[in-house]
Amino acid sequence: NAADVSAGDTLIDLSDVAFGYTAANVVEDVSLSVDAGEYVAVVGPNGSGKSTLMKLMLGLLRPDTGEARLFGEPSHAFDDGSRIGYVAQHASASKEMPITVREVVKMGRFPHVGFGFLSGADWDIVDRSLDTVGMSAFADRRVTKLSGGQRQRAFIARALAGEADLLVLDEPTVGVDAESVDAFYDLLETLNDAGITIVLIEHDLGAVIDHAERVVCLNKAVYFDGPTAEFAESDALSRAFGAATGVLRESQ
Ligand code: ADP
């Protein structure tokens, strides 16, 4: 699949998008696009519409007005899920089946093998994906027995096994112990260097400023969209976060 995507292709495209769960809009006037190879962080205070925006991008919600496109198709009609790796906010282990890490990663191959069995080449991809995220040693461990950071890595490996072009992560380091967080961001950087496009919803502004190349700062509407270094210098942060700007200082 990665072969289908060239640098600079537009993977996500929102134009004049507005959405409300009720009569009131929680996302308004949003136009933005994400091109192949980018590493974009979406930041904003609690309740500012970040998760809603992500669902609009992925076609899990449909805009009330405006248009959302994914890989060039209307997002709601896009159906090649293997091209997208979605890493949710710490998935609750108790709700997951007691399957092993390798079995989770193997699922990433299912869209490629139909109802068939995995070939040797498929298993090689599974093993390589485990290796890339540093989880080879935990391949036979049940996902319910993993730490938060290990679990997130397992789900990234599943996306890699599916040959995803786009990785979308919703606050992936919530519940991950502090010493694993840096290594987790290093992994994202490695994947981005390898050509995977990353959209990261993140509350930790310090991490965003250290790692992402581009920031979209949201509070219903877009307050800032541009290079991370410019964001750190701009007043968008205080305008979007209001009194909550202290989080930047705390997290640095
Ligand atoms: P964030 O991810 O930035 O915290 P959300 O996108 O989750 O923000 O929420 C934006 C707004 O939409 C909030 O006011 C939230 O209460 C509201 N909201 C989110 N999900 C729903 C839902 N399923 N039904 C009704 N309101 C919702």
Side-chain angles (χ1 to χ4, degrees):
N1 268 338
D4 303 340
V5 171
S6 317
D9 281 0
T10 299
L11 304 193
I12 296 170
D13 194 22
L14 303 180
S15 62
D16 293 325
V17 164
F19 176 85
Y21 296 97
T22 59
N25 283 341
V26 299
V27 167
E28 206 164 76
D29 235 0
V30 172
S31 294
L32 64 89
S33 58
V34 177
D35 291 344
E38 284 200 283
Y39 186 160
V40 186
V42 178
V43 302
N46 264 334
S48 59
K50 300 183 296 296
S51 296
T52 303
L53 186 75
M54 189 200 61
K55 288 174 187 160
L56 289 161
M57 286 174 168
L58 296 180
L60 302 172
L61 293 172
R62 287 180 74 162
D64 295 328
T65 60
E67 199 185 18
R69 300 181 79 83
L70 192 55
F71 291 93
E73 290 173 44
S75 296
H76 67 271
F78 182 80
D79 63 357
D80 188 357
S82 71
R83 302 187 73 176
I84 304 166
Y86 171 53
V87 178
Q89 216 175 93
H90 63 117
S92 147
S94 58
K95 288 189 200 135
E96 286 157 17
M97 288 184 296
I99 59 175
T100 67
V101 171
R102 186 179 274 110
E103 286 166 330
V104 165
V105 178
K106 171 189 169 187
M107 288 177 189
R109 290 310 297 162
F110 287 171
H112 299 277
V113 299
F115 293 105
F117 291 101
L118 270 67
S119 69
D122 290 311
W123 282 112
D124 285 347
I125 292 174
V126 167
D127 287 339
R128 261 206 316 276
S129 303
L130 283 164
D131 185 48
T132 301
V133 303
M135 288 292 287
S136 300
F138 300 94
D140 296 316
R141 189 166 294 190
R142 292 180 174 214
V143 286
T144 47
K145 304 279 187 224
L146 300 175
S147 71
Q150 289 170 336
R151 199 149 56 232
Q152 298 297 49
R153 283 169 184 271
F155 285 107
I156 288 179
R158 181 176 65 179
L160 296 180
E163 298 174 85
D165 309 302
L166 171 65
L167 206 51
V168 179
L169 307 106
D170 191 353
E171 305 206 358
T173 60
V174 170
V176 174
D177 56 291
E179 58 209 72
S180 305
V181 168
D182 283 343
F184 185 82
Y185 283 109
D186 287 344
L187 171 62
L188 293 187
E189 221 152 288
T190 305
L191 298 178
N192 184 240
D193 289 343
I196 295 179
T197 308
I198 295 181
V199 176
L200 170 71
I201 292 183
E202 185 52 90
H203 67 284
D204 179 350
L205 291 171
V208 164
I209 285 168
D210 287 345
H211 297 281
E213 291 165 0
R214 171 181 163 198
V215 172
V216 172
C217 180
L218 189 75
N219 196 346
K220 186 154 76 172
V222 173
Y223 278 68
F224 179 92
D225 181 359
T228 303
E230 282 177 30
F231 173 67
E233 300 296 318
S234 82
D235 66 349
L237 188 63
S238 51
R239 287 191 296 116
F241 282 77
T245 43
V247 288
L248 177 58
R249 285 185 292 276
E250 280 164 28
S251 62
Q252 275 185 324

